[in-house]
């Protein structure tokens, strides 16, 4: 009788096992790293351990423990090394000071560790008696009376009355806070007028804990120690939206962070002598006034300068340059700057620069910008049309009661011809604004234009015909207007002068609206029509100053004396020439709740550091390793093939194809004698009936 022996299952190769269990192995190694390396580093021995007492022991217990250790030292029973004695001495001096002990117990602040490390390195091979005691020098810091100290009582009112607030959390016993007091005073002065500042003593536990960061256990702490700077952006009234400063505690770094991150103020770049001419003046916006700050120190722009630059961004471009003695001739000959600091203002091409020497404060800089934000011949733009009185939807510069006023504008593409025409119109404006020059004119009709200019019923301006194509074509309605308006087609550039007479009659406008029985659509169309009547006169004479003055004066006199028809129309809107920068939209529109993408990315290292110190993370990794190992083990040992118990011992019948077994219905004792059914695949008594014409015989 033949017997068969079962062959043992071959063992799997080692690479396949590693490939299957790589995840549990990594999780297990990570858990061991956390338990053996990361967690001990995150929880070093406390200073109470050096004295051999419990944490948060009282000052009396600290003194008793130190006296006990000191008596043992004298008897030769204390620590065997000088380093241990230094640790005990340092712990005693720190915990015996009530202020230092409070900061250490509640917030974990210990800013004197560098002293102990320096002493340990210096006296590592010396006797303890050679060390000069005490190791720590007590510091008593009191804030300046000029700074308001915020407490729990006035915190709510201080926050409600301020749009933007910068707070310093300090301790009266901190030497770092005492060193930072001078810088804080300078920071507060630079932010004066832009944001409120305040100080919070860490002894106000309720308020200090509210503004502190929280560990996984809920314990408060200040990640970078003291002083800690906390900013409340505009609209922020709770601790959920505050922004913490984590950089260097210098005046320049703090003010730049606050101006950029909190106030969303633009930075003003520095230019060299070469890049100033090529980049700033050559490639800058031609329609803006150029403002150059000549600095002697090379420091970045102060917050109030950046705030002024943001407010006047639509009117002027700003730049900084460093004053050097070897370049003094360039500054003197080109801009008229004799010394730094100074501000140079460049307006129209060919106009002499305006220079202001000396230091600048916020109010003086605003006054300078108000006087020089427009060019000598102002540009008619979407943001200046109302202010200049050259908008049919607005009023005259003389006031809302003025009925008739005028606007004389030069329009054309940026070219030498336009610059020459602008210079001519600047001279016309200068002559009409000077009574002496008007009296010297031969034609006395110039007095009409001079009077209108003095009464602010006449405005001179210029328009960029290439940018404002539709506006230009509306007023310059001639056959060859393409020589003035729109993109340049050939070398021909023809600037033109036109004068617009505005007349406002609110009574007649309202009367027309009431008497006209219009439907809803006609009423909506009537609202789009300008409320002011416009009559346009196009100058076709020579570009000579006397003729231009005579034409303007005659047109104004005719417009004031004659009862001209009241004609209303719809004027094309002026196209904005600049796209609003992202910082002009405000922080509240860019960053929701002061927690934008940049701030979230910046907190990733902090979150990783906090995770490394969480003792719960190691056991979680170990649990994940065990669970993944068990899951993979069960899946690999689970049978995935059907059980073949009888097929291995009984051979298959001849002619049977294992891959094409016939499906049979399951049988039981109750249906063994049942009659065959058509649904059976093979009835039990079936046989093949031979046919008579079959070829099988």
């Amino acid at each position: 009788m033949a017997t068969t022996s079962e062959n043992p299952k071959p063992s799997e190769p080692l690479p396949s096992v590693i490939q299957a269990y790589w995840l549990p192995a990594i999780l297990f190694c990570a858990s061991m790293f956390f338990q053996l390396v990361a967690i001990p580093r995150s929880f070093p021995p406390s200073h109470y351990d050096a004295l051999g007492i419990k944490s948060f022991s009282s000052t009396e217990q600290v003194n008793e423990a130190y006296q006990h250790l000191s008596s043992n030292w004298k008897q030769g029973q204390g620590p065997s090394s000088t380093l241990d004695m230094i640790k005990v001495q340092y712990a005693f001096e720190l915990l015996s000071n009530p202020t230092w002990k409070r900061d250490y117990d509640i917030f974990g602040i210990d800013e004197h560790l560098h002293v102990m490390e320096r002493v340990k390195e210096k006296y590592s091979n010396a006797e303890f008696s050679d060390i000069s005691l005490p190791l720590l020098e007590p510091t008593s810091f009191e804030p300046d009376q000029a700074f308001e100290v915020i407490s729990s009582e006035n915190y709510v009112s201080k926050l409600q009355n301020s749009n933007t607030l910068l707070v310093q959390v300090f301790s009266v016993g901190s030497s770092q806070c005492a060193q930072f007091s001078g810088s804080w005073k300078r920071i507060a002065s630079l932010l004066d007028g832009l944001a409120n500042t305040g100080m919070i003593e860490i002894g106000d536990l309720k308020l200090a804990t509210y503004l502190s960061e929280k560990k996984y256990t809920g314990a408060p702490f200040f990640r970078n120690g003291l002083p800690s700077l906390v900013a409340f952006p505009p609209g922020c009234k709770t601790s959920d939206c505050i922004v913490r400063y984590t950089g260097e505690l210098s005046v320049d770094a703090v003010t730049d962070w606050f101006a950029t991150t909190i106030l969303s103020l633009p930075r003003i770049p520095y230019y060299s002598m070469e890049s100033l001419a090529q980049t700033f003046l050559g490639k800058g916006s031609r329609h803006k006034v150029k403002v150059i700050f000549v600095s002697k120190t090379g420091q970045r722009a102060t917050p109030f300068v950046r705030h002024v630059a943001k407010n006047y961004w639509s009117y002027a471009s700003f730049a900084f340059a460093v004053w050097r003695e070897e370049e003094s001739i360039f500054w003197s000959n080109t801009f008229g700057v004799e010394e730094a600091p100074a501000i140079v203002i460049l307006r129209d091409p060919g106009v002499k620069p305006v220079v202001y020497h000396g230091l600048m404060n916020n109010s003086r800089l605003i006054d300078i910008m108000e006087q020089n934000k427009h060019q000598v011949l102002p540009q008619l733009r979407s943001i200046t049309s109302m202010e200049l009185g050259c908008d049919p939807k607005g009023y005259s510069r003389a006031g809302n009661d003025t009925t008739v006023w005028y606007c004389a504008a030069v329009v054309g593409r940026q070219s030498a011809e336009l610059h020459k025409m602008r210079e001519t119109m600047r001279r016309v404006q200068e002559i009409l604004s000077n009574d002496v020059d008007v009296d010297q004119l031969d034609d006395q009709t110039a007095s009409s234009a001079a009077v209108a200019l003095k009464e602010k019923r006449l405005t001179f301006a210029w328009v960029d015909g290439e940018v404002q194509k539709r506006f230009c074509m509306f007023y310059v309605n001639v056959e060859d207007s393409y020589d003035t308006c729109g993109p340049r087609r050939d070398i021909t550039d023809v600037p033109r002068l036109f004068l617009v007479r505005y007349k406002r009659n609110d009574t007649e406008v309202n009367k027309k609206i009431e008497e006209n029985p219009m439907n809803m659509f006609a009423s909506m169309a009537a609202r789009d029509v300008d409320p002011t009547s416009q009559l346009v006169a196009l100058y076709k004479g020579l570009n000579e100053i006397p003729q231009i003055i005579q034409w303007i004066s005659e047109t104004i006199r005719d417009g004031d004396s004659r009862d001209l028809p009241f004609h209303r129309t719809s004027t094309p809107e002026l196209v904005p020439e600049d796209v609003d920068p992202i910082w002009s939209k405000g922080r509240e529109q860019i960053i929701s709740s002061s927690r934008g993408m940049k701030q979230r990315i910046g907190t990733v290292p902090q979150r990783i550091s906090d995770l490394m110190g969480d003792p719960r993370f190691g056991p979680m990794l170990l649990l994940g390793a065990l669970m993944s190992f068990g899951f993979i083990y069960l899946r690999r040992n689970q049978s995935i093939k059907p059980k073949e118990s009888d097929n291995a011992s009984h051979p298959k019948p001849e002619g049977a194809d294992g891959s094409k077994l016939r499906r049979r219905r399951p049988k039981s004792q109750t249906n063994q004698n049942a009659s065959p059914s058509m649904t059976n695949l093979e009835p039990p008594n079936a046989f093949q009936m031979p046919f008579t014409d079959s070829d099988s015989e």
Side-chain angles (χ1 to χ4, degrees):
M1 181 176 180
T3 59
T4 59
S5 61
E6 296 183 357
N7 295 328
K9 188 177 180 180
S11 60
E12 298 185 37
L14 184 61
S16 64
V17 177
I18 296 177
Q19 185 178 3
Y21 292 98
W22 65 271
L23 180 60
I26 292 177
L27 294 178
F28 180 78
C29 295
S31 66
M32 292 298 101
F33 172 79
F34 268 86
Q35 293 298 113
L36 301 178
V37 179
I39 300 302
R41 289 184 178 181
S42 302
F43 294 91
S46 66
H47 298 305
Y48 291 97
D49 297 332
L51 295 173
I53 56 179
K54 296 181 179 180
S55 299
F56 309 107
S57 298
S58 63
T59 306
E60 292 76 11
Q61 294 174 333
V62 171
N63 292 329
E64 293 177 0
Y66 178 75
Q67 295 297 334
H68 176 70
L69 293 175
S70 298
S71 62
N72 292 339
W73 293 346
K74 296 178 182 179
Q75 300 175 5
Q77 301 177 2
S80 58
S81 65
T82 304
L83 298 180
D84 294 336
M85 296 180 182
I86 293 175
K87 293 180 181 179
V88 172
Q89 182 67 29
Y90 178 86
F92 166 71
E93 294 184 12
L94 177 70
L95 299 178
S96 61
N97 187 302
T99 303
W100 294 346
K101 187 178 185 300
R102 177 201 65 189
D103 300 344
Y104 178 74
D105 289 345
I106 301 177
F107 300 98
I109 297 175
D110 184 6
E111 62 180 31
H112 303 94
L113 281 175
H114 64 283
V115 176
M116 184 173 66
E117 297 298 332
R118 185 175 66 249
V119 173
K120 288 167 59 177
E121 181 179 359
K122 183 177 180 180
Y123 298 99
S124 59
N125 299 324
E127 296 293 334
F128 182 75
S129 57
D130 298 335
I131 302 176
S132 58
L133 300 178
L135 299 177
L136 307 179
E137 293 293 336
T139 302
S140 179
F141 165 64
E142 292 293 337
D144 196 336
Q145 295 181 355
F147 301 116
E148 181 180 359
V149 178
I150 303 175
S151 61
S152 302
E153 289 74 18
N154 62 357
Y155 168 73
V156 176
S157 60
K158 181 71 175 179
L159 192 61
Q160 295 295 333
N161 297 331
S162 174
N163 291 329
T164 309
L165 179 63
L166 179 63
V167 175
Q168 177 196 170
V169 182
F170 73 100
S171 175
V172 293
S174 172
S175 59
Q176 295 181 2
C177 294
Q179 297 173 3
F180 184 68
S181 60
S183 300
W184 176 252
K185 187 175 182 179
R186 175 61 177 165
I187 292 171
S189 63
L190 292 175
L191 296 179
D192 187 22
L194 302 178
N196 293 339
T197 56
M199 304 179 67
I200 297 176
E201 213 282 320
I202 202 173
D204 191 343
L205 298 181
K206 181 179 179 181
L207 188 55
T209 304
Y210 178 72
L211 296 179
S212 65
E213 299 181 71
K214 306 299 186 296
K215 294 183 179 180
Y216 68 95
T217 59
F221 77 107
F222 292 93
R223 190 180 304 276
N224 298 317
L226 297 181
S228 178
L229 301 182
V230 178
F232 290 81
C236 177
K237 302 300 181 182
T238 62
S239 62
D240 297 333
C241 55
I242 63 175
V243 183
R244 305 179 189 276
Y245 178 68
T246 58
E248 178 187 0
L249 289 175
S250 63
V251 176
D252 181 72
V254 173
T255 53
D256 178 65
W257 163 78
F258 192 82
T260 304
T261 306
I262 307 303
L263 299 178
S264 301
L265 300 180
R267 287 191 173 97
I268 304 178
Y270 269 85
Y271 293 89
S272 63
M273 186 174 63
E274 294 78 11
S275 62
L276 184 67
Q278 297 177 1
T279 305
F280 180 69
L281 300 179
K283 300 180 181 179
S285 301
R286 297 183 179 181
H287 57 277
K288 291 185 179 182
V289 175
K290 304 297 187 299
V291 181
I292 305 174
F293 294 88
V294 184
S295 174
K296 194 172 184 178
T297 60
Q299 296 179 351
R300 78 171 80 237
T302 57
F304 77 84
V305 173
R306 296 169 62 176
H307 185 259
V308 171
K310 179 180 180 179
N311 292 339
Y312 290 90
W313 174 85
S314 300
Y315 300 93
S317 299
F318 297 84
F320 263 82
V322 180
W323 168 273
R324 295 184 176 89
E325 293 295 337
E326 58 271 17
E327 299 175 354
S328 59
I329 299 178
F330 164 78
W331 290 105
S332 178
N333 297 337
T334 307
F335 303 108
V337 178
E338 301 299 333
E339 60 179 357
I343 295 180
V344 180
I345 298 180
L346 304 176
R347 303 171 79 180
D348 297 34
V351 178
K352 185 179 179 180
V354 181
V355 181
Y356 297 89
H357 291 91
L359 297 174
M360 292 289 164
N361 54 24
N362 192 16
S363 59
R364 186 187 178 191
L365 182 58
I366 292 177
D367 293 340
I368 291 174
M369 290 305 305
E370 281 295 325
Q371 298 173 10
N372 301 278
K373 68 178 182 179
H374 293 297
Q375 297 173 346
V376 179
L377 184 67
Q379 182 183 6
L380 185 57
R381 301 166 56 196
S382 58
I383 62 172
T384 61
S385 59
M386 288 288 185
E387 185 178 358
L388 297 177
C390 296
D391 196 313
K393 296 180 177 63
Y395 295 88
S396 169
R397 292 187 300 126
N400 298 346
D401 298 333
T402 304
T403 305
V404 179
W405 68 96
Y406 304 87
C407 182
V410 177
V411 61
R413 289 187 287 264
Q414 294 284 355
S415 60
E417 291 80 4
L418 178 62
H419 295 337
K420 184 177 180 180
M421 191 63 181
R422 288 170 58 184
E423 184 178 356
T424 301
M425 294 307 298
R426 287 197 301 267
R427 181 58 181 162
V428 170
Q429 182 179 2
E430 181 182 355
I431 291 175
L432 293 178
S433 60
N434 193 335
D435 296 337
V436 178
D437 293 338
V438 173
D439 296 338
Q440 294 177 357
L441 294 176
D442 297 334
D443 195 347
Q444 295 299 323
T445 57
S447 60
S448 300
V451 171
L453 183 63
K454 186 176 182 179
E455 294 176 352
K456 296 183 178 181
R457 294 193 305 114
L458 174 62
T459 301
F460 291 92
W462 71 277
V463 182
D464 191 338
E466 183 175 1
V467 177
Q468 309 294 342
K469 178 181 177 180
R470 294 183 61 235
F471 185 86
C472 177
M473 297 290 290
F474 178 81
Y475 287 102
V476 184
N477 191 9
V478 295
E479 183 178 357
D480 53 350
S481 59
Y482 285 99
D483 295 340
T484 305
C485 308
R488 183 177 284 104
R489 297 186 175 184
D490 50 26
I491 60 175
T492 304
D493 288 309
V494 182
R496 302 180 188 273
L497 171 65
F498 62 89
L499 181 69
V500 183
R501 173 187 178 269
Y502 298 100
K503 183 177 182 180
R504 194 175 188 94
N505 191 340
D506 296 333
T507 304
E508 187 174 352
V509 172
N510 296 332
K511 181 179 178 181
K512 289 183 178 180
I513 295 176
E514 293 175 357
E515 292 179 355
N516 191 3
M518 297 183 294
N519 56 18
M520 181 181 64
F521 299 100
S523 178
M524 294 176 60
R527 296 193 188 102
D528 297 334
V529 179
D530 299 328
T532 303
S533 172
Q534 297 183 74
L535 292 177
V536 184
L538 186 64
Y539 179 69
K540 300 180 180 180
L542 299 176
N543 295 338
E544 300 293 337
I545 295 177
Q547 295 185 16
I548 294 175
I549 293 178
Q550 180 180 356
W551 174 76
I552 293 175
S553 298
E554 291 177 353
T555 306
I556 292 177
R557 184 178 58 180
D558 186 52
D560 290 342
S561 59
R562 294 178 58 186
D563 187 13
L564 299 174
F566 190 84
H567 177 69
R568 298 170 61 212
T569 184
S570 179
T571 308
E573 297 290 340
L574 290 166
V575 179
E577 297 182 340
D578 296 302
V579 179
D580 292 338
I582 189 171
W583 47 259
S584 67
K585 299 178 182 179
R587 178 181 175 84
E588 62 278 1
Q589 299 180 9
I590 304 172
I591 303 176
S592 176
S593 300
S594 305
R595 302 291 294 178
M597 184 60 65
K598 183 178 179 180
Q599 283 68 28
R600 294 181 181 180
I601 295 175
T603 58
V604 170
Q606 298 179 0
R607 294 182 179 182
I608 295 177
S609 178
D610 295 342
L611 196 63
M612 295 287 289
D614 192 344
R616 300 170 298 179
F617 194 67
M620 290 173 60
L621 288 177
L622 181 59
L623 179 61
L626 296 177
M627 292 180 64
S628 60
F629 176 82
F631 179 75
I632 296 173
Y633 178 81
L634 291 177
R635 290 200 59 181
R636 286 173 59 86
N637 290 274
Q638 183 180 5
S639 177
I640 59 175
K641 295 183 179 181
K643 186 176 181 181
E644 302 178 355
S645 58
D646 297 334
N647 295 341
S649 58
H650 299 286
K652 296 181 180 179
E654 295 183 2
D657 190 356
S659 61
K660 298 181 180 180
L661 295 177
R662 295 182 178 180
R663 182 182 302 174
R664 296 180 179 273
R665 295 178 61 184
K667 298 181 180 181
S668 60
Q669 295 180 355
T670 58
N671 60 358
Q672 286 182 355
N673 299 324
S675 60
S677 174
M678 295 182 61
T679 58
N680 292 343
L681 295 179
E682 186 177 353
N685 299 325
F687 68 95
Q688 182 67 33
M689 178 181 292
F691 294 95
T692 57
D693 56 349
S694 176
D695 297 335
S696 59
E697 294 181 353

